[in-house]
Amino acid sequence: MGVVNVTPDSFSDGGVHLYPEAASTAALAMLDEGAAIVDVGAESTRPGSGGVPLDEELRRVVPVLESLVGSPVSIDTAKADVARRALELGAELVNDVTALRGDPELAGVVAAAGSYVCLMHMQGEPRTMQAAPRYDDVVSEVKAFLESRLAFAVAAGILEKHVSLDPGIGFGKSVAHNFALVRRLPELVAIGRPVVIGFSRKSSLGRILGDPTASVGSAAASVGVAVSAYERGAWIIRAHDVRDHVEALRVARAVLEAP
Ligand code: HH2
């Protein structure tokens, strides 16, 4: 899954794709490099961010989606109105970092459209989530949360086979929490739904490499953790540097499939 942030302030690539032409060119390049889907988002969820009004989110995202009609697209939004418009324009998957807790109408929009949905774990909200994340056992707590949100989605009429689950790397988690979630990923895979991992360029990568103030991680570090996650059963890798990830993951798959 290639990441296309149509935002001025994303932690990883803020401003790079703010103009619709640049965003759609980047998205098409990612598909050409081997991404199976591109995740278009117009609201940064980086630590400290406070949200984007509906009209601004639509203004940013609609021209990009219009230019990508016919390509496999995921919409990274928590807003029902944005998701509805994106689905009308052919998006296949709604990637909701609030796991259907942010907008009470979103579950109904996904159910009515029969689209795919990704439900992600987050402790707290972006404005404050990195202040002091606390868990007794991060993996069990994230697993219980994802199971309950899956049950909520199915009760709202979303087909279970359309749901993927994401532990939400960096969303209310310390460096140790993020790495524990990857090490013990098989416990999340055991829920029985495809697991999405979005560790690409996140600050924990820079921090584990020795910079305690890092706000981003390198492409090489992103690829390293993506391969680890893939070997532990991750099904979708959300990444900015698509070519690097596709090459690394194809090689990792060749190893797993070798006689
Ligand atoms: N991470 C970000 C945004 N959306 N969605 C899922 N399912 N999983 C993630 O880990 C995830 C996500 C944050 O990364 P990015 O889009 O690069 O930055 P920003 O939120 O600042 O735009």
Side-chain angles (χ1 to χ4, degrees):
M1 173 186 278
V3 182
V4 181
N5 287 317
V6 197
T7 56
D9 55 348
S10 289
F11 79 94
S12 52
D13 57 3
V16 177
H17 307 138
L18 187 54
Y19 296 101
E21 302 75 32
S24 49
T25 303
L28 293 170
M30 288 176 189
L31 293 167
D32 197 46
E33 289 170 4
I37 194 162
V38 283
D39 188 39
V40 178
E43 175 173 58
S44 175
T45 46
R46 75 180 196 290
S49 62
V52 173
L54 171 64
D55 55 351
E56 174 64 10
E57 196 175 330
L58 284 169
R59 194 186 64 74
R60 291 179 188 175
V61 94
V62 166
V64 180
L65 297 172
E66 283 173 344
S67 73
L68 292 174
V69 169
S71 298
V73 166
S74 147
I75 177 73
D76 187 350
T77 190
K79 295 190 183 74
D81 288 336
V82 175
R84 191 181 290 112
R85 189 77 192 100
L87 293 166
E88 283 166 8
L89 288 168
E92 297 171 16
L93 181 140
V94 176
N95 174 25
D96 177 14
V97 299
T98 76
L100 304 175
R101 296 175 298 160
D103 183 332
E105 290 183 20
L106 183 53
V109 168
V110 171
S115 73
Y116 289 87
V117 66
C118 175
L119 305 177
M120 196 196 79
H121 176 272
M122 170 172 13
Q123 185 182 85
E125 57 178 65
R127 211 164 41 77
T128 52
M129 65 191 178
Q130 288 306 109
R134 283 185 64 87
Y135 302 85
D136 289 327
D137 177 345
V138 65
V139 180
S140 323
E141 287 170 48
V142 167
K143 180 176 183 185
F145 172 88
L146 293 175
E147 285 172 331
S148 86
R149 297 318 294 166
L150 171 62
F152 173 88
V154 171
I158 297 171
L159 295 180
E160 181 166 340
K161 67 178 184 185
H162 285 175
V163 182
S164 53
L165 303 173
D166 185 333
I169 299 298
F171 286 84
K173 282 139 195 133
S174 66
V175 175
H177 295 142
N178 290 325
F179 281 90
L181 284 161
V182 177
R183 181 176 73 79
R184 292 171 54 194
L185 202 62
E187 294 173 47
L188 304 181
V189 173
I191 298 172
R193 298 306 315 145
V195 172
V196 179
I197 289 286
F199 217 138
S200 177
R201 295 191 188 169
K202 286 187 178 164
S203 61
S204 288
L205 299 169
R207 294 185 187 191
I208 209 89
L209 292 177
D211 175 359
T213 62
S215 58
V216 288
S218 66
S222 306
V223 166
V225 83
V227 169
S228 270
Y230 167 71
E231 289 180 333
R232 287 167 172 77
W235 193 255
I236 299 176
I237 302 291
R238 186 178 180 277
H240 301 78
D241 305 284
V242 168
R243 188 187 299 278
D244 291 344
H245 280 79
V246 168
E247 289 184 0
L249 291 166
R250 286 178 64 183
V251 170
R253 183 171 65 190
V255 172
L256 290 188
E257 292 177 354

